[in-house]
Amino acid sequence: MATTAPPAETTTWSKEDAKAAKKRSRRMHRKEHGWAAAFMAAPVLGWVAFLLFPMGFSIYASLTNWNGIGKMTFIGFDNYVLLVKDPYFWKALWNTVFYMIGIPIGLAISLALALALSRKIRGRTFFRTVYYIPVISSLAAIAILWQWAYNGDFGLVNQALALVGIDGPNWLADSTWAKPAIIIMAVWKGMGYSMLLYLAAVQAVPRSLYEAASLDGANGWKKFTKITWPMVQPVTFFLVVTNIIGGSMIFTEINIMTPTGGPEWSTASLVWYIWNKAFRNLQMGYATAMALVLGILVLIVTAIQFRINRANEFSID
């Protein structure tokens, strides 16, 4: 005899129950939206306070005659017209671009050191530490040390050159050698950081690639150009971009080693010139205009680097 299941209980909702449920849902959503807004507020306020407002204020300040303290007098684009006609601006910009020569030199030396220290050699931990010490040392202290080393009469550099029969110049007092001297110091200072990143990248390259290349009869140079170099390109891209940004802001070395801009204005960087105009000559509006131009130039160069990197992307399946 077949039995039939009892009918399922049905729940009927009244209009009052539906309204109460909607109210609870709205309260819950409002609470969630409130917490979401609270979490989003911190970065948004930080972006407004530390990026949007300073940027807007800087753009306005660059259009004024202002000493940094008193009243701003709007003068339109006069600061930018003066900038174009200012020979010291162009000289400082050229010096800043010249300092970039140290970037490929430093990266080449750092990669060579990383390849050497990635091998199982005695004392490699000691050498890694020694090369990295300048990175964590005070830039001001290092600048003072190198200023003494470059002294034309008793400096350590010229004493070392004298051992091989070379009469070294008075480095920081010679307009020909002042910029190369600062480049050498900057390369020495940042070499350990680049070496460490390259070392991590080299050690991350799969050993199987080198083994397969050896079976195919590839020599050391082929392994480097076809395997190592393509695999460390992301690190190279990162270092090039960060070094260009950092190199464009070179200041401390110049201000300590050549506080007057060097012989014949040969070492004055653009940031050093901006600092002088802003805080020595109290031409804050003009200095702000130069800073904005420098920022735009760095942005353009960085965008070009990103475009080149996308065109040269390399991957292994």
Side-chain angles (χ1 to χ4, degrees), residues 65-78:
N65 182 16
W66 183 42
N67 63 4
I69 301 174
K71 182 181 178 181
M72 290 180 171
T73 303
F74 185 80
I75 58 175
F77 292 95
D78 289 358

Side-chain angles (χ1 to χ4, degrees), residues 64 79 82-83 86 89 273 277 283-291:
T64 64
N79 284 329
L82 178 62
L83 180 150
D86 187 355
F89 168 80
Y273 186 45
K277 283 294 184 181
Q283 294 178 270
M284 190 68 72
Y286 183 50
T288 305
M290 288 192 290

Side-chain angles (χ1 to χ4, degrees), residues 25-314:
S25 178
R26 289 196 194 100
R27 283 197 299 268
M28 183 179 66
H29 288 158
R30 279 199 297 268
K31 187 175 181 180
E32 290 179 350
H33 292 163
W35 279 109
F39 280 110
M40 292 173 60
V44 170
L45 291 176
W47 181 77
V48 171
F50 298 108
L51 181 62
L52 186 61
F53 174 75
M55 182 63 69
F57 183 82
S58 298
I59 293 173
Y60 176 73
S62 70
L63 304 174
T64 64
N65 182 16
W66 183 42
N67 63 4
I69 301 174
K71 182 181 178 181
M72 290 180 171
T73 303
F74 185 80
I75 58 175
F77 292 95
D78 289 358
N79 284 329
Y80 294 94
V81 174
L82 178 62
L83 180 150
V84 173
K85 298 178 180 179
D86 187 355
Y88 291 104
F89 168 80
W90 294 107
K91 179 65 174 178
L93 179 60
W94 160 247
N95 291 340
T96 303
V97 173
F98 189 89
Y99 288 133
M100 301 296 176
I101 294 175
I103 294 177
I105 297 174
L107 294 184
I109 296 174
S110 300
L111 180 56
L113 288 174
L115 291 173
L117 295 178
S118 64
R119 299 176 179 274
K120 294 182 179 180
I121 58 175
R122 293 183 60 184
R124 64 177 180 175
T125 302
F126 169 77
F127 287 111
R128 291 175 184 177
T129 304
V130 168
Y131 285 122
Y132 196 73
I133 285 176
V135 179
I136 59 176
S137 301
S138 168
L139 181 56
I142 287 177
I144 294 172
L145 175 66
W146 277 88
Q147 185 182 33
W148 170 82
Y150 280 134
N151 186 279
D153 297 324
F154 54 81
L156 186 63
V157 174
N158 281 355
Q159 290 183 20
L161 292 175
L163 295 177
V164 293
I166 299 176
D167 186 17
N170 191 359
W171 294 84
L172 299 178
D174 191 325
S175 58
T176 303
W177 291 101
K179 279 196 292 290
I182 292 177
I183 289 174
I184 292 171
M185 188 275 291
V187 168
W188 176 84
K189 173 73 169 63
M191 188 170 56
Y193 176 74
S194 301
M195 180 207 69
L196 189 66
L197 294 185
Y198 270 133
L199 184 61
V202 168
Q203 292 180 340
V205 178
R207 299 294 99 184
S208 58
L209 297 178
Y210 293 113
E211 293 171 0
S214 298
L215 293 176
D216 290 338
N219 55 24
W221 177 248
K222 283 289 186 181
K223 292 178 182 178
F224 172 77
T225 56
K226 301 299 183 181
I227 300 175
T228 306
W229 176 245
M231 293 294 287
V232 301
Q233 276 189 358
V235 173
T236 302
F237 167 70
F238 170 79
L239 290 173
V240 168
V241 171
T242 54
N243 283 333
I244 288 175
I245 295 173
S248 66
M249 297 186 293
I250 184 172
F251 168 76
T252 305
E253 304 91 318
I254 312 300
N255 199 43
I256 292 177
M257 299 174 71
T258 55
T260 60
E264 302 177 15
W265 203 256
S266 58
T267 63
S269 67
L270 192 50
V271 170
W272 183 86
Y273 186 45
I274 292 170
W275 177 80
N276 272 270
K277 283 294 184 181
F279 299 105
R280 286 185 175 177
N281 300 341
L282 297 180
Q283 294 178 270
M284 190 68 72
Y286 183 50
T288 305
M290 288 192 290
L292 287 175
V293 170
L294 176 60
I296 292 171
L297 291 175
V298 172
L299 181 63
I300 292 172
V301 173
T302 303
I304 293 173
Q305 290 296 323
F306 272 92
R307 185 68 178 268
I308 294 173
N309 182 67
R310 277 199 298 268
N312 296 327
E313 283 183 348
F314 176 85

